[in-house]
Amino acid sequence: MSAASAPLDRVRPPRVAAPLTRDGNASARVADALREAIVGGEYPPGSRIRQEEIAERFGASRVPVREALKALEADGLVTLVANTGAWVTRLSLAECEEVYQTRERVEPLLLRYSAPHLDDAALDELERLAERMAETADVEEFLRLDREFHQRSYAGADTLVLGDLVRRLWNTTQPYRRAYTLMIDAHSQRIVHDEHHMLVTALRDRDFDTAERVIEGHIRRTRRLLASHPEVFETLPAIP
């Protein structure tokens, strides 16, 4: 079996961030470290985030930890419950379906804003990322490369609202993209990789209508598979 068709079933163990120093903006540092940990799957949806544990882990007081959690709530990564605590945001199947339907509609628009401003160097980098995704059988590496690929495809857009909205939607669906990646078979993997290359080809050809259709179908494929696996959502812990 080639590397491109090998099953994506090797998940890396959680990474433990080094303690933070007390100088500088401690809340931003805690937020950055927690964001990376949540996006990387160290804290699954519905898991409790205890302020005292985070403060001890990162060598910070509780005040910057609280500020960091508020920033992550704005990012869509954390749910704060008054007088109760903080949890990693989790979605029900219905919520996830709605978020993905939103992504199907707004990401093609963001791509349309971005595409005319992607030069040859940017497109070459997208091609390299697509090739690296096809070569890896490591789930976490694939997810990191995939996120970078799509963020770079949107990097040419200068928007007031849309870019931030798409980043938030990506944050809230990251754990479900991981579940999707673990579920798909070799045939579906090839389709995913083909779509990445098709997107780059359409962007090179300045065929923005096709590029929009590719990204819309790319997102829809994930939504439809997740909808057929409600157990992904039923096994997650509830947030009070």
Side-chain angles (χ1 to χ4, degrees):
M1 180 178 293
S2 67
S5 60
L8 290 163
D9 58 2
R10 297 204 297 273
V11 181
R12 293 176 179 170
R15 291 177 294 175
V16 177
L20 297 170
T21 58
R22 295 181 181 277
D23 60 326
N25 191 333
S27 64
R29 298 186 187 196
V30 173
D32 288 344
L34 273 178
R35 185 180 295 107
E36 182 178 354
I38 294 171
V39 169
E42 183 176 343
Y43 294 95
S47 59
R48 179 80 179 269
I49 299 178
R50 300 183 182 278
Q51 291 188 24
E52 60 275 14
E53 293 177 0
I54 298 302
E56 180 179 359
R57 173 176 173 177
F58 297 119
S61 69
R62 293 194 183 186
V63 172
V65 171
R66 285 196 294 270
E67 293 174 350
L69 291 174
K70 290 179 182 178
L72 295 179
E73 182 182 38
D75 284 347
L77 289 168
V78 168
T79 298
L80 299 179
V81 181
N83 303 317
T84 305
W87 281 261
V88 177
T89 298
R90 59 157 296 181
L91 302 176
S92 66
L93 174 56
E95 289 169 332
C96 191
E97 179 114 353
E98 183 175 332
V99 171
Y100 266 99
Q101 287 181 344
T102 303
R103 286 185 54 194
E104 285 174 43
R105 287 155 176 79
V106 300
E107 288 190 41
L109 178 58
L110 183 59
L111 184 65
R112 172 72 71 161
Y113 280 124
S114 174
H117 307 290
L118 298 176
D119 59 18
D120 288 341
L123 296 174
D124 289 344
E125 181 59 28
L126 289 178
E127 190 70 52
R128 283 192 289 271
L129 288 167
E131 291 171 356
R132 290 173 62 189
M133 279 187 279
E135 292 169 356
T136 186
D138 184 287
V139 168
E140 293 305 317
E141 183 179 12
F142 171 84
L143 289 171
R144 180 182 61 79
L145 292 170
D146 183 62
R147 188 181 181 96
E148 183 179 356
F149 175 90
H150 290 287
Q151 286 179 337
R152 284 180 177 270
S153 75
Y154 301 141
D158 182 14
T159 64
L160 299 174
V161 175
L162 195 55
D164 288 339
L165 172 62
V166 167
R167 280 189 290 274
R168 180 183 172 91
L169 295 176
W170 264 75
N171 286 339
T172 58
T173 55
Q174 178 75 9
Y176 308 99
R177 292 177 54 250
R178 180 174 288 104
Y180 168 82
T181 303
L182 288 166
M183 287 188 294
I184 60 175
D185 58 20
H187 173 69
S188 295
Q189 288 174 35
R190 285 193 296 273
I191 293 174
V192 169
H193 297 315
D194 287 346
E195 287 173 338
H196 288 147
H197 287 291
M198 288 169 59
L199 180 59
V200 177
T201 298
L203 292 172
R204 284 195 190 279
D205 292 343
R206 320 306 283 174
D207 184 354
F208 303 145
D209 290 339
T210 295
E212 286 189 69
R213 288 194 294 270
V214 171
I215 194 63
E216 181 180 358
H218 192 64
I219 298 167
R220 183 183 301 115
R221 190 181 310 282
T222 304
R223 173 175 63 82
R224 289 171 65 88
L225 180 70
L226 287 171
S228 68
H229 289 275
E231 70 276 6
V232 169
F233 305 87
E234 294 166 356
T235 59
L236 295 174
I239 295 175

